[in-house]
Amino acid sequence: MPGRKTPGGETSGKTSGQDSRDTQDSRHTQDTRGAEQGAQQPAPPGGRGHARLSKSLYEKELLRLQTEMVRLQEWVRVEGARLVVVFEGRDAAGKGGTIKRLAEHLNPRVARTAALPVPTERERTQWYFQRYVAHLPAAGEIVLFDRSWYNRAGVERVMGFCTPEEHQLFLRQCPIFERMLVEDGILLRKYWFSVSDTEQERRFRKRLDDPTRRWKLSAMDLESITRWEAYSRAKDEMFVHTDVPESPWYVVESDDKRSARLNMLAHLLSSVPYGAVAQPDLRLPPRPASTGYERPPRELQTYVPDHAATLEDRAD
């Protein structure tokens, strides 16, 4: 697996200062927006201020990475590997779009997305990690967690859906839980999608005006605007406890969605030791001669109306 990367804190688009960055030495971060006024910081990969990729270049590289993802999938299937990819980050940070592109050409019988709803009353009485364990992969499977057990460290912590004692218990148990997964042979990758407050608000407004995306916006999402710093502190505390050598966090700067998707896919591919898998020699057989079969009359079957034809009539 490639060397550890220094995880990044959230950046506010409303100030000229930079958030403090987590370091491997201190293992501690604080929200210090505006504290380093004028400091020159190197731009993170795909970060704010990064020139946006052209659509043609983006689509060409995306297809190349998606093709590699199919090869990785076949390696997982044939070798009986188990891969878990955790997608976390603020609301509207680009997690869902990245998952969609990652899985677009994959076999749904091999790679699936786990996006768990609110826990039931029965699940609330279980060990916290229990309902997530049921979604872990068997041999030859890939599971993409669209949000995960880290809900307890984020939204549950900030919105008061768990007690302080439950939150602290999670922070103690989570590294142990993930260490157990890794020791059992699961390939675990965790990605945090980092978006600025101005970009998040822009995406929220776009969802409000787009009927095809309106379902993505909830009252809970809008709460994240007024609780920005609370989420920042919760995330920083989460990193202190769970960014460990056995299961490190990898931060994806996601103000630029195109770069974020490419960066995440490229890193995932580079972190898994997959190899080429021999493909079976498949050849189309010759079509046999007819044995006299006749199709039943079309009027005996019910067809869907030709909606497409009506579009041409309307255009005329």
Side-chain angles (χ1 to χ4, degrees), residues 176-215:
I176 301 172
F177 171 67
E178 293 179 354
R179 188 175 298 118
M180 292 171 65
L181 301 183
V182 174
E183 289 179 349
D184 199 59
I186 289 178
L187 301 170
L188 176 62
R189 302 294 181 269
K190 304 187 306 188
Y191 293 94
W192 176 270
F193 284 70
S194 177
V195 65
S196 66
D197 51 0
T198 52
E199 178 62 17
Q200 183 194 55
E201 184 172 343
R202 188 191 71 82
R203 293 176 185 177
F204 281 165
R205 292 188 183 282
K206 190 172 182 180
R207 290 179 180 182
L208 276 172
D209 299 331
D210 186 345
T212 65
R213 300 184 184 185
R214 186 66 172 77
W215 63 271

Side-chain angles (χ1 to χ4, degrees), residues 87 90-99 193 195 203 207 254 257 260-261:
F87 291 80
R90 292 182 186 270
D91 297 315
K95 302 178 294 297
T98 303
I99 292 172
F193 284 70
V195 65
R203 293 176 185 177
R207 290 179 180 182
S254 61
K257 288 185 177 182
R261 293 164 184 166

